[in-house]
Amino acid sequence: MQEHDLLATSWTWAGDEPLGERVRAVGAAGFAGLSLSLGDLHEVRATIGFAELRRVLDGSGIVWVQLGPLERWWTCSSRTPDQEADRGVVLEAAAMLGAWQVVARADTTLPGISPAAMVEDWADLASQAAKVGAQLVLEPEPWSNLPTVERASRFVAAAGHPNGGLLVDAMHALRGGSTLASIRQGIAPDTLAAVELSDGLLHTPAGMTLSEESRAARYLPGAGAWDLPGFIRTVRDLGFDEPWGVEVRTAAHRAMPTADALRTAAAATRAVLDAADAYGSPAAPAMPTTPAPTSAVDFEPPAHGQHDRAHRARRRDADTGTPA
Protein backbone atom coordinates (compact mmCIF):
# COMPACT_ATOMS: atom_id res chain seq x y z
CA MET A 1 0.00 0.00 0.00
CA GLN A 2 1.12 3.58 -0.63
CA GLU A 3 2.15 5.99 2.08
CA HIS A 4 -0.10 8.90 3.00
CA ASP A 5 0.47 12.21 4.75
CA LEU A 6 -1.84 12.61 7.74
CA LEU A 7 -2.73 15.84 9.53
CA ALA A 8 -3.91 15.78 13.14
CA THR A 9 -6.60 18.40 13.72
CA SER A 10 -6.44 20.33 16.96
CA TRP A 11 -9.00 18.14 18.75
CA THR A 12 -7.17 14.95 17.79
CA TRP A 13 -3.99 16.05 19.59
CA ALA A 14 -5.59 18.08 22.39
CA GLY A 15 -4.33 17.19 25.85
CA ASP A 16 -3.06 18.44 29.18
CA GLU A 17 0.64 18.07 28.38
CA PRO A 18 2.70 21.12 27.37
CA LEU A 19 2.14 22.15 23.76
CA GLY A 20 5.70 21.37 22.65
CA GLU A 21 5.47 17.88 24.11
CA ARG A 22 2.19 17.26 22.30
CA VAL A 23 3.63 18.53 19.00
CA ARG A 24 6.47 16.04 19.31
CA ALA A 25 3.92 13.28 20.03
CA VAL A 26 2.10 14.20 16.81
CA GLY A 27 5.28 13.68 14.80
CA ALA A 28 6.24 10.52 16.66
CA ALA A 29 2.84 8.99 15.85
CA GLY A 30 3.52 9.40 12.13
CA PHE A 31 1.55 12.55 11.34
CA ALA A 32 3.13 14.96 8.85
CA GLY A 33 0.84 17.86 9.73
CA LEU A 34 -1.31 19.42 12.42
CA SER A 35 -3.82 22.19 12.91
CA LEU A 36 -3.39 24.82 15.59
CA SER A 37 -6.48 26.33 17.20
CA LEU A 38 -6.86 30.00 18.08
CA GLY A 39 -6.26 29.06 21.72
CA ASP A 40 -3.01 27.34 20.76
CA LEU A 41 -1.86 30.37 18.79
CA HIS A 42 -2.58 32.87 21.56
CA GLU A 43 -0.74 30.60 24.02
CA VAL A 44 2.31 30.31 21.78
CA ARG A 45 2.42 34.04 21.09
CA ALA A 46 2.32 34.77 24.82
CA THR A 47 4.93 32.15 25.78
CA ILE A 48 7.53 30.52 23.53
CA GLY A 49 6.83 32.55 20.37
CA PHE A 50 6.20 31.42 16.81
CA ALA A 51 9.88 31.16 15.85
CA GLU A 52 10.49 28.63 18.61
CA LEU A 53 7.34 26.71 17.67
CA ARG A 54 8.60 26.49 14.09
CA ARG A 55 11.80 24.90 15.39
CA VAL A 56 9.74 22.37 17.36
CA LEU A 57 7.63 21.61 14.28
CA ASP A 58 10.73 21.11 12.13
CA GLY A 59 12.28 18.83 14.72
CA SER A 60 9.09 16.77 14.83
CA GLY A 61 8.81 16.32 11.06
CA ILE A 62 5.70 18.51 10.71
CA VAL A 63 5.45 20.02 7.24
CA TRP A 64 1.71 20.80 6.91
CA VAL A 65 0.42 23.51 9.28
CA GLN A 66 -3.22 24.56 9.30
CA LEU A 67 -4.53 27.44 11.45
CA GLY A 68 -7.93 28.44 12.81
CA PRO A 69 -10.82 28.41 12.38
CA LEU A 70 -11.59 32.11 12.21
CA GLU A 71 -15.11 33.20 13.10
CA ARG A 72 -17.07 36.30 12.07
CA TRP A 73 -14.53 37.31 9.44
CA TRP A 74 -17.29 39.13 7.52
CA THR A 75 -18.58 42.65 8.19
CA CYS A 76 -21.21 42.53 10.92
CA SER A 77 -22.20 44.47 14.03
CA SER A 78 -21.61 41.41 16.24
CA ARG A 79 -17.89 41.12 15.44
CA THR A 80 -15.92 41.65 18.63
CA PRO A 81 -12.47 43.16 19.24
CA ASP A 82 -11.29 39.67 20.24
CA GLN A 83 -12.26 38.33 16.83
CA GLU A 84 -10.38 41.19 15.17
CA ALA A 85 -7.36 40.21 17.29
CA ASP A 86 -7.80 36.57 16.26
CA ARG A 87 -7.38 37.53 12.61
CA GLY A 88 -4.16 39.39 13.36
CA VAL A 89 -2.71 36.51 15.37
CA VAL A 90 -3.62 33.95 12.69
CA LEU A 91 -2.02 35.98 9.90
CA GLU A 92 1.09 36.64 12.00
CA ALA A 93 1.36 32.94 12.83
CA ALA A 94 0.82 31.96 9.20
CA ALA A 95 3.74 34.13 8.15
CA MET A 96 6.06 32.93 10.93
CA LEU A 97 5.17 29.24 10.70
CA GLY A 98 4.96 28.93 6.92
CA ALA A 99 1.37 27.78 7.27
CA TRP A 100 -0.29 25.78 4.52
CA GLN A 101 -3.86 26.94 5.17
CA VAL A 102 -6.06 29.23 7.25
CA VAL A 103 -9.54 27.89 8.00
CA ALA A 104 -12.63 30.13 8.14
CA ARG A 105 -16.00 28.98 9.44
CA ALA A 106 -19.32 29.77 7.83
CA ASP A 107 -21.83 31.80 9.87
CA THR A 108 -23.35 29.69 12.66
CA THR A 109 -25.35 32.49 14.27
CA LEU A 110 -29.11 32.88 13.99
CA PRO A 111 -30.37 34.45 11.88
CA GLY A 112 -27.40 33.88 9.62
CA ILE A 113 -26.07 36.41 7.17
CA SER A 114 -26.75 35.94 3.48
CA PRO A 115 -23.77 34.27 1.79
CA ALA A 116 -23.93 36.91 -0.93
CA ALA A 117 -23.09 39.55 1.68
CA MET A 118 -19.91 37.67 2.62
CA VAL A 119 -18.26 37.56 -0.79
CA GLU A 120 -16.32 40.83 -0.57
CA ASP A 121 -15.00 40.03 2.91
CA TRP A 122 -14.04 36.54 1.73
CA ALA A 123 -12.00 38.02 -1.10
CA ASP A 124 -10.29 40.47 1.28
CA LEU A 125 -9.37 37.69 3.72
CA ALA A 126 -8.16 35.43 0.91
CA SER A 127 -5.89 38.23 -0.29
CA GLN A 128 -4.52 38.78 3.23
CA ALA A 129 -3.82 35.05 3.57
CA ALA A 130 -2.08 35.01 0.18
CA LYS A 131 0.29 37.76 1.33
CA VAL A 132 1.55 35.52 4.16
CA GLY A 133 1.75 32.42 1.95
CA ALA A 134 -1.33 30.53 3.17
CA GLN A 135 -4.48 29.41 1.39
CA LEU A 136 -7.87 30.40 2.83
CA VAL A 137 -10.32 27.48 3.10
CA LEU A 138 -13.99 27.60 4.02
CA GLU A 139 -15.43 25.05 6.45
CA PRO A 140 -19.21 24.69 5.99
CA GLU A 141 -21.33 23.10 8.73
CA PRO A 142 -24.89 21.72 8.63
CA TRP A 143 -26.04 24.33 11.21
CA SER A 144 -24.49 27.28 9.34
CA ASN A 145 -25.62 29.60 6.55
CA LEU A 146 -23.76 27.29 4.14
CA PRO A 147 -25.15 23.97 5.39
CA THR A 148 -23.92 21.69 2.61
CA VAL A 149 -20.54 21.22 0.99
CA GLU A 150 -22.16 21.62 -2.43
CA ARG A 151 -23.50 25.10 -1.57
CA ALA A 152 -20.18 26.04 -0.01
CA SER A 153 -18.38 24.97 -3.19
CA ARG A 154 -20.69 27.21 -5.22
CA PHE A 155 -19.92 30.09 -2.85
CA VAL A 156 -16.16 29.66 -3.26
CA ALA A 157 -16.47 29.27 -7.02
CA ALA A 158 -18.71 32.34 -7.34
CA ALA A 159 -16.37 34.44 -5.19
CA GLY A 160 -13.69 33.59 -7.71
CA HIS A 161 -10.64 34.38 -5.61
CA PRO A 162 -7.70 32.18 -6.70
CA ASN A 163 -6.53 31.77 -3.07
CA GLY A 164 -9.92 30.56 -1.78
CA GLY A 165 -10.78 26.90 -1.32
CA LEU A 166 -13.17 24.47 0.34
CA LEU A 167 -12.61 22.16 3.30
CA VAL A 168 -14.77 19.02 3.10
CA ASP A 169 -15.24 17.39 6.51
CA ALA A 170 -16.74 13.90 6.26
CA MET A 171 -18.97 14.46 9.30
CA HIS A 172 -20.26 17.84 8.14
CA ALA A 173 -20.79 16.58 4.59
CA LEU A 174 -22.67 13.40 5.45
CA ARG A 175 -24.70 14.88 8.30
CA GLY A 176 -25.52 17.80 6.03
CA GLY A 177 -27.37 15.39 3.76
CA SER A 178 -24.73 14.94 1.08
CA THR A 179 -24.19 11.58 -0.59
CA LEU A 180 -21.14 10.34 -2.41
CA ALA A 181 -22.97 10.99 -5.67
CA SER A 182 -23.92 14.57 -4.73
CA ILE A 183 -20.36 15.29 -3.58
CA ARG A 184 -19.00 13.97 -6.86
CA GLN A 185 -21.48 15.99 -8.91
CA GLY A 186 -21.84 19.11 -6.76
CA ILE A 187 -18.30 20.05 -5.75
CA ALA A 188 -16.26 21.95 -8.32
CA PRO A 189 -12.88 20.17 -8.39
CA ASP A 190 -10.92 23.42 -8.45
CA THR A 191 -12.50 24.49 -5.14
CA LEU A 192 -11.58 21.34 -3.16
CA ALA A 193 -8.58 22.16 -0.99
CA ALA A 194 -8.76 20.12 2.25
CA VAL A 195 -10.42 16.97 3.57
CA GLU A 196 -11.03 15.77 7.13
CA LEU A 197 -11.85 12.19 8.09
CA SER A 198 -13.83 10.87 11.04
CA ASP A 199 -16.49 8.21 11.43
CA GLY A 200 -19.94 8.10 12.94
CA LEU A 201 -23.13 6.18 13.51
CA LEU A 202 -25.92 5.80 10.97
CA HIS A 203 -27.92 8.41 12.86
CA THR A 204 -27.08 11.18 15.30
CA PRO A 205 -27.17 9.67 18.83
CA ALA A 206 -30.43 10.23 20.68
CA GLY A 207 -30.43 13.37 22.76
CA MET A 208 -27.64 15.04 20.76
CA THR A 209 -27.86 17.92 18.33
CA LEU A 210 -25.68 17.81 15.22
CA SER A 211 -23.37 20.35 16.79
CA GLU A 212 -23.04 18.24 19.94
CA GLU A 213 -22.33 15.15 17.87
CA SER A 214 -19.60 17.05 16.05
CA ARG A 215 -17.97 17.92 19.36
CA ALA A 216 -18.34 14.60 21.17
CA ALA A 217 -19.11 11.70 18.80
CA ARG A 218 -16.53 11.76 16.03
CA TYR A 219 -15.28 8.19 16.02
CA LEU A 220 -11.98 6.80 14.81
CA PRO A 221 -12.01 6.26 11.04
CA GLY A 222 -13.27 2.73 10.44
CA ALA A 223 -14.99 2.48 13.84
CA GLY A 224 -18.38 3.73 12.66
CA ALA A 225 -20.94 3.05 9.97
CA TRP A 226 -19.92 5.44 7.19
CA ASP A 227 -18.43 4.39 3.87
CA LEU A 228 -15.16 6.21 4.41
CA PRO A 229 -13.24 4.27 1.71
CA GLY A 230 -15.94 5.36 -0.73
CA PHE A 231 -15.75 8.94 0.54
CA ILE A 232 -11.97 8.92 0.11
CA ARG A 233 -12.22 7.58 -3.44
CA THR A 234 -14.83 10.24 -4.26
CA VAL A 235 -12.74 13.22 -3.15
CA ARG A 236 -9.67 11.67 -4.69
CA ASP A 237 -11.52 11.43 -8.01
CA LEU A 238 -12.21 15.17 -7.66
CA GLY A 239 -8.47 15.75 -7.51
CA PHE A 240 -7.70 15.90 -3.79
CA ASP A 241 -4.48 14.25 -2.63
CA GLU A 242 -2.77 14.78 0.74
CA PRO A 243 -2.70 15.51 3.54
CA TRP A 244 -5.67 13.67 5.03
CA GLY A 245 -6.99 15.51 8.07
CA VAL A 246 -7.97 13.30 11.02
CA GLU A 247 -10.50 14.57 13.57
CA VAL A 248 -11.40 12.27 16.46
CA ARG A 249 -13.53 13.63 19.29
CA THR A 250 -14.85 11.10 21.78
CA ALA A 251 -14.60 10.77 25.55
CA ALA A 252 -12.61 7.53 25.14
CA HIS A 253 -10.07 9.21 22.84
CA ARG A 254 -9.73 12.18 25.18
CA ALA A 255 -9.14 9.88 28.18
CA MET A 256 -6.12 8.21 26.57
CA PRO A 257 -2.59 9.56 26.99
CA THR A 258 -1.99 11.88 24.04
CA ALA A 259 0.78 9.75 22.53
CA ASP A 260 -1.39 6.60 22.64
CA ALA A 261 -4.42 8.44 21.26
CA LEU A 262 -2.40 9.76 18.33
CA ARG A 263 -0.89 6.38 17.47
CA THR A 264 -4.36 4.82 17.56
CA ALA A 265 -5.83 7.54 15.34
CA ALA A 266 -3.00 7.27 12.82
CA ALA A 267 -3.23 3.47 12.59
CA ALA A 268 -7.02 3.54 12.19
CA THR A 269 -6.85 6.18 9.46
CA ARG A 270 -4.13 4.37 7.54
CA ALA A 271 -6.22 1.18 7.59
CA VAL A 272 -9.15 3.04 6.00
CA LEU A 273 -6.88 4.65 3.41
CA ASP A 274 -5.43 1.21 2.63
CA ALA A 275 -8.96 -0.08 2.09
CA ALA A 276 -9.63 2.79 -0.31
CA ASP A 277 -6.35 2.10 -2.14
CA ALA A 278 -7.17 -1.60 -2.49
CA TYR A 279 -10.52 -0.98 -4.19
CA GLY A 280 -10.41 -2.34 -7.74
CA SER A 281 -7.09 -4.10 -7.24
CA PRO A 282 -6.73 -7.66 -8.56
CA ALA A 283 -8.06 -10.27 -6.20
CA ALA A 284 -5.56 -12.14 -4.10
CA PRO A 285 -4.29 -15.28 -5.87
CA ALA A 286 -6.03 -18.52 -4.97
CA MET A 287 -4.39 -20.75 -2.42
CA PRO A 288 -2.22 -23.54 -3.88
CA THR A 289 -4.09 -26.75 -4.67
CA THR A 290 -1.07 -29.08 -4.59
CA PRO A 291 -0.69 -31.12 -1.41
CA ALA A 292 1.50 -29.49 1.19
CA PRO A 293 4.49 -31.42 2.55
CA THR A 294 3.71 -33.48 5.61
CA SER A 295 4.92 -31.64 8.66
CA ALA A 296 6.76 -33.18 11.57
CA VAL A 297 3.67 -32.72 13.66
CA ASP A 298 1.48 -34.66 11.26
CA PHE A 299 3.97 -37.38 10.43
CA GLU A 300 3.11 -40.79 11.74
CA PRO A 301 5.65 -43.62 11.15
CA PRO A 302 4.31 -46.84 9.60
CA ALA A 303 3.22 -49.59 11.92
CA HIS A 304 5.66 -52.42 12.69
CA GLY A 305 6.18 -54.54 9.56
CA GLN A 306 4.83 -51.89 7.15
CA HIS A 307 8.24 -50.21 6.88
CA ASP A 308 9.96 -53.38 5.59
CA ARG A 309 7.21 -54.09 3.04
CA ALA A 310 7.38 -50.49 1.74
CA HIS A 311 11.17 -50.71 1.47
CA ARG A 312 11.03 -53.98 -0.52
CA ALA A 313 8.40 -52.45 -2.86
CA ARG A 314 10.60 -49.46 -3.66
CA ARG A 315 13.58 -51.75 -4.37
CA ARG A 316 11.44 -53.92 -6.69
CA ASP A 317 10.15 -50.86 -8.58
CA ALA A 318 13.69 -49.58 -9.00
CA ASP A 319 14.91 -52.89 -10.37
CA THR A 320 12.04 -53.21 -12.93
CA GLY A 321 11.85 -49.54 -13.89
CA THR A 322 8.23 -49.25 -12.66
CA PRO A 323 7.37 -45.71 -11.51
CA ALA A 324 6.91 -45.42 -7.74
Side-chain angles (χ1 to χ4, degrees):
M1 296 297 178
Q2 61 180 317
E3 274 297 310
H4 297 284
D5 278 3
L6 304 182
L7 181 148
T9 64
S10 56
W11 281 102
T12 302
W13 64 285
D16 299 325
E17 302 90 342
L19 186 139
E21 184 178 324
R22 290 188 289 117
V23 168
R24 285 185 280 271
V26 170
F31 288 89
L34 54 73
S35 63
L36 289 151
S37 69
L38 292 172
D40 293 328
L41 296 177
H42 283 291
E43 177 188 342
V44 169
R45 193 173 190 272
T47 55
I48 64 174
F50 294 126
E52 175 60 24
L53 176 58
R54 183 65 260 182
R55 284 191 286 272
V56 175
L57 293 168
D58 290 341
S60 303
I62 303 299
V63 296
W64 305 93
V65 178
Q66 191 182 63
L67 308 178
L70 284 171
E71 300 188 20
R72 290 190 178 88
W73 41 269
W74 55 92
T75 302
C76 60
S77 59
S78 59
R79 190 159 68 187
T80 67
D82 285 346
Q83 287 161 344
E84 291 285 358
D86 287 344
R87 180 190 295 226
V89 170
V90 165
L91 293 174
E92 178 187 352
M96 294 290 292
L97 299 176
W100 167 53
Q101 288 179 338
V102 169
V103 180
R105 294 181 74 187
D107 184 8
T108 59
T109 63
L110 292 175
I113 188 174
S114 166
M118 302 166 71
V119 171
E120 186 174 339
D121 290 303
W122 171 261
D124 288 343
L125 184 55
S127 294
Q128 291 175 340
K131 289 178 182 178
V132 294
Q135 182 182 29
L136 178 65
V137 295
L138 176 66
E139 182 172 15
E141 297 163 291
W143 50 90
S144 73
N145 67 332
L146 289 165
T148 69
V149 293
E150 294 86 357
R151 287 178 62 179
S153 176
R154 291 196 294 272
F155 171 87
V156 172
H161 198 286
N163 195 46
L166 173 68
L167 187 159
V168 176
D169 177 308
M171 187 271 172
H172 293 157
L174 300 177
R175 284 293 189 249
S178 297
T179 64
L180 299 187
S182 72
I183 291 170
R184 184 178 296 108
Q185 296 169 9
I187 291 181
D190 58 354
T191 65
L192 181 55
V195 173
E196 290 180 0
L197 303 176
S198 59
D199 215 330
L201 306 178
L202 285 177
H203 304 285
T204 298
M208 275 190 177
T209 64
L210 285 175
S211 179
E212 290 167 342
E213 181 186 19
S214 179
R215 292 194 300 269
R218 288 176 177 264
Y219 294 97
L220 286 166
W226 299 343
D227 179 13
L228 283 187
F231 175 82
I232 290 164
R233 293 193 301 272
T234 298
V235 295
R236 187 180 281 155
D237 288 346
L238 289 171
F240 180 77
D241 185 31
E242 315 292 328
W244 298 95
V246 183
E247 184 157 7
V248 182
R249 297 170 76 172
T250 64
H253 182 83
R254 185 69 177 82
M256 297 172 68
T258 303
D260 294 341
L262 286 163
R263 284 193 293 268
T264 301
T269 305
R270 291 191 187 284
V272 171
L273 288 164
D274 286 348
D277 294 340
Y279 180 80
S281 299
M287 292 296 290
T289 55
T290 54
T294 303
S295 73
V297 175
D298 295 331
F299 178 73
E300 182 176 349
H304 182 70
Q306 290 181 343
H307 181 274
D308 291 339
R309 288 193 295 272
H311 177 71
R312 287 195 297 270
R314 285 195 295 271
R315 288 290 303 273
R316 182 182 63 251
D317 294 337
D319 292 338
T320 61
T322 304

